[in-house]
Amino acid sequence: MTSAAPVIAIDDLSTRLGGVWIHRHLNLEIAAGEMVALVGGSGSGKTTLLRQMIGLLTPTQGTIRLFGEPLFGGGVARERALRQRFGVLFQQGALFSALNVFDNIAFPLRELRCFDATTIRDLVMLKLEMVELLPQHALLLPAELSGGMVKRVALARSLALEPELLLLDEPTAGLDPDRSAGFVRLIRRLGDELGLTVLLVTHDVATLAALTTKVAVLAEQHILAYGMLDTVRQFDHPFVRKFFYPLS
Amino acid sequence: MLHAHYSETRGASGQIELLLTGRWTLRALAERGAADAAWQDRLRELGRRDAVNWNCLDIEALDSVGALLLWRCWGRKLPELLLMRPEHLHIFERIAAADGEPAAVVLPRSPFEGLIVLGAGVLAVIRQLRDFVALLGLLALDLLHLLRHPIDLPGREISANIYKSGVRAMPVTALVGLLIGIALSYLSSLQLRQFGADMFIVNLLGLSIIRELGPVLVAVLVAGRSGSAMTAQLGVMRVTEEIDALATMGVSSSLRLVLPKVVALAVVTPLLVLWATALALLGGMLAAELQLGIGIGYFLETLPKAVPVVNLWIGLVKGVVFGLAIALIACHFGLRVKPNTESLSANTTAAVVTAITVVIFIDAVFAVALRGVGVPKL
Ligand SMILES: Nc1ncnc2c1ncn2[C@@H]1O[C@H](COP(=O)(O)OP(=O)(O)O)[C@@H](O)[C@H]1O
Ligand SMILES: [Mg+2]
C-alpha cells in the first residue's frame, strides 16, 4: 500500500478547450502525505486541471495517474474503487440541495451498501463532529446553511469514504478572513490527523502560509515553479512577484 | 493488502489475549463485507466480556469506520485492558465526543393524524389560491404602472417570449395539427360513408377542429412546452437568487419576468390556434380527398356555409384565455420553487398538470356557456 508511487503523477499533460490551449506539457508529482497548494491567476486553468485529476475531463494529451494507477480503463469496479480513494470539495460545495445535511453526508456511505442504518448514523455524526458542526445541524437543508457551513458539510461529505487524497477547489473563496482562517486550520488538522495527501487550489496567500508544505504555481500553461513556499516566493517571474508581493 | 484480522490466545491466568492486525479501514472492511457476519459476531461477543486483553498495537491502519466497529463491539466505551497507539486512541476520543443522542427525527404520532393531514391539505390549497390572487394583484399594479410610465414596458422580454413560445412552437404544432386532422378525417369518413352522409365530413371536421380541437390541442402543447419552461426558468432563478438580485436593483420581478410571459402567451396562443387549426383542416381535406373523393375545392367552398364564422372567434378567444391561464399558472408555480432541486421538479410537474386541467375545465365552461352560439341548426 505504502508504495513509492506518487499519489498524483501528471505527465506531459496538454489540454485544449474551445480552441485554446489551456495547458501545454504540464508535469506535476505529489508524494503521499504532502499538502500542496496550486496557485495561479484567474482563468489559468486550475479548476480544469483539478477536473482532469478526478476524471471529469479527459486531457487532450498526456496522462494522469493517481496512486500509480491510470484514471480510466480496467472496468467499472476498478474505476469506482479508485474514485473512492479520493474526496473532492467543489468550489460551490455541490451539496445535494434536496437532501438535508445528514443525508448529504450519508449518501456516499449508503451507496457502498455495506453498512446498516445505525453504523451510518454513527459515522455521519462522527464526521459532523470532525468538521466542528453540531448534531442539530444534521436536519438542516443546504439552503438553510451559511457559506462557511456549506463548506464544512461538503468537507464532511468528501471525507465520508475515508479518502487518502483530498482535492479542494478554492476552499476559502467566499468566506470572510476569520472563517477562512478557521476552515484552513480545520483542513490542516484533519489532514494531519487522518494522514491525508491534500491538493488545494487557492489564490489566498494567507491560506498558503498556514496550510501547505509545498506550492505549485500554474502560469503560462504549465507549472512554473514547484517547491517549498519560501523557495517559490523567491522565484523570479512577474506572476510570482505580483502574487506574493502585490503592493510592491 | 492485509484485511482486518484478529487472533485469540488464552493466557496463563485464563485471560483471553486478542491480537488485532491488518487494516481496519472502510475499504478493507467493506471488502470483507457483510458476508462475514460470524467474524463480527465473535468480535462482539468478546467485546462483552471483561477478561479480554485487547492488543491493538499491531493494527496497520485504522480509520473511523474500523474504530467505530470496535467501539460498538466494546459497548460504546473503551475496554479496561487495551493496548493502542496514541494516534489510534485519538480517533476514539473523537468518537466519544460525537457519541450523543442524535437529534430526534421521528415526530410523535397524534391520534388525529388523518384530520391533521386533511387540514394541512386544505390550508395548502388556500395558501396556493391566496398566492395566486396576490400574483394577479401584482400584475394589475404593474399594468397600472405601465399606463403611467409606458417607457417601462418590457418590450424586449415580450418579444423574446413571443419568439420562444410562438415561433419556435410552430413546427411541432403544425405536425400535431396535421396528423390529428388526417386521423380524424379518416376515422369519420369510414363512419359517414356507411350512412351515405359523405358530404357532412366538412361540417364535422370544421366544427370540431375550429371550435374545440384546435384550441385544446394547442393549449396542451403550449402548457407542456412553454409552461414547463417558464416554471423551470423562474424556479432556477429563485434557486440561484437571481430574483433577489433583481429586487435589489429595484426591478420588479413581476413586471420584468411574469408580465412578458403572460402577455406573450396571450398573444401567441390564439395565433398558434389559428395555425394548428389551418393545418388540421388541411390534413382533414387531404384525407377526405383520398378516402371519400371530396375535392379540396368543394371542401373550401362548403366550409364557410357549414361552419359559421363565429366558431373561429370562439376558438381564438379560447386561445387567449388558455394562454393567459397557462402563463399565470406556470409563473405562479415558478415563484413558489424553494431553493432545492426536489422542489423545482415538483413545481414544474404541478405547473403542467394544473395548467392542462384548468384548460380543460375552462373549455367545459365555454362549451356549456356558448352551447347556443355558432352551431348551425339543420
Ligand atoms: N468547457 C470549456 N470550454 C471552453 N473553455 C473553457 C471551458 N472550461 C473552461 N474554459 C476556459 O479555460 C480557462 C481555465 O478555466 P478554469 O480552469 O476554470 O480557470 P481557473 O479555475 O484557474 O480560474 C478559462 O479561460 C476558461 O474560459
Ligand atoms: Mg476555478
Side-chain angles (χ1 to χ4, degrees), chain A residues 17-18 22 40-49 91 169-170 201 218:
Chain A
L17 276 179
I22 312 278
S42 177
S44 58
K46 305 180 296 290
T47 301
T48 308
L49 189 61
Q91 208 162 345
D169 194 0
E170 311 246 355
V201 170
L218 176 59

Side-chain angles (χ1 to χ4, degrees), chain B residues 51-95:
Chain B
V52 177
N53 199 351
W54 295 80
N55 184 350
C56 305
L57 288 174
D58 285 342
I59 289 182
E60 194 185 313
L62 180 75
D63 66 11
S64 43
V65 174
L68 194 71
L69 176 75
L70 288 173
W71 181 251
R72 287 170 64 191
C73 287
W74 294 336
R76 302 191 161 269
K77 59 177 173 17
L78 292 178
E80 278 162 30
L81 305 168
L82 174 69
L83 290 171
M84 183 174 271
R85 287 191 239 159
E87 70 262 30
H88 289 168
L89 215 48
H90 188 79
I91 304 178
F92 287 96
E93 283 165 22
R94 278 212 170 281
I95 294 183

Side-chain angles (χ1 to χ4, degrees), chain A residues 97 119 122 129 162 189, chain B residues 27 64 72 76 94 341:
Chain A
S97 58
T119 312
D122 286 348
E129 203 270 341
E162 310 287 342
R189 205 200 65 216
Chain B
R27 253 168 298 285
S64 43
R72 287 170 64 191
R76 302 191 161 269
R94 278 212 170 281
T341 48

Side-chain angles (χ1 to χ4, degrees), chain B residues 17-285:
Chain B
E17 175 91 16
L18 202 61
L19 183 68
L20 284 73
T21 52
R23 303 182 61 82
W24 292 69
T25 61
L26 174 126
R27 253 168 298 285
L29 290 167
E31 266 171 50
R32 253 208 122 90
D36 227 350
W39 183 84
Q40 280 197 26
D41 286 345
R42 174 69 186 146
L43 199 64
R44 227 167 271 142
E45 194 197 320
L46 288 166
R48 276 194 293 276
R49 293 204 205 158
D50 284 333
V52 177
N53 199 351
W54 295 80
N55 184 350
C56 305
L57 288 174
D58 285 342
I59 289 182
E60 194 185 313
L62 180 75
D63 66 11
S64 43
V65 174
L68 194 71
L69 176 75
L70 288 173
W71 181 251
R72 287 170 64 191
C73 287
W74 294 336
R76 302 191 161 269
K77 59 177 173 17
L78 292 178
E80 278 162 30
L81 305 168
L82 174 69
L83 290 171
M84 183 174 271
R85 287 191 239 159
E87 70 262 30
H88 289 168
L89 215 48
H90 188 79
I91 304 178
F92 287 96
E93 283 165 22
R94 278 212 170 281
I95 294 183
D99 224 15
E101 271 312 292
V105 191
V106 209
L107 292 173
R109 282 184 77 85
S110 141
F112 304 110
E113 193 86 30
L115 199 63
I116 290 172
V117 170
L118 182 71
V122 171
L123 286 180
V125 170
I126 291 176
R127 220 174 301 130
Q128 292 261 7
L129 287 175
R130 202 188 54 201
D131 289 353
F132 190 74
V133 172
L135 181 65
L136 290 181
L138 268 181
L139 287 178
L141 289 179
D142 283 338
L143 285 177
L144 277 181
H145 174 85
L146 281 182
L147 281 181
R148 270 181 285 143
H149 310 267
I151 189 90
D152 283 347
L153 185 81
R156 291 172 62 91
E157 285 85 350
I158 293 178
S159 138
N161 273 298
I162 286 181
Y163 178 72
K164 266 191 297 188
S165 16
V167 180
R168 304 285 295 270
M170 283 175 75
V172 65
T173 40
L175 183 70
V176 172
L178 194 71
L179 293 177
I180 289 280
I182 291 173
L184 206 62
S185 178
Y186 257 109
L187 284 177
S188 338
S189 58
L190 289 178
Q191 297 294 317
L192 290 175
R193 191 187 292 157
Q194 288 185 5
F195 299 106
D198 294 15
M199 296 305 150
F200 282 101
I201 187 83
V202 184
N203 304 50
L204 192 68
L205 284 187
L207 201 61
S208 62
I209 288 176
I210 293 174
R211 187 176 169 126
E212 196 63 36
L213 270 178
V216 171
L217 209 63
V218 166
V220 169
L221 283 174
V222 167
R225 200 184 159 280
S226 310
S228 59
M230 288 173 178
T231 308
Q233 190 198 11
L234 287 178
V236 171
M237 289 184 80
R238 270 200 81 86
V239 174
T240 54
E241 296 179 324
E242 285 171 58
I243 291 187
D244 299 341
L246 274 180
T248 56
M249 294 174 209
V251 177
S252 151
S253 59
S254 62
L255 178 66
R256 199 59 73 86
L257 297 174
V258 179
L259 192 73
K261 295 181 168 53
V262 175
V263 172
L265 275 201
V267 171
V268 138
T269 320
L271 296 177
L272 283 176
V273 167
L274 203 62
W275 166 248
T277 302
L279 276 138
L281 285 175
L282 179 68
M285 272 192 287

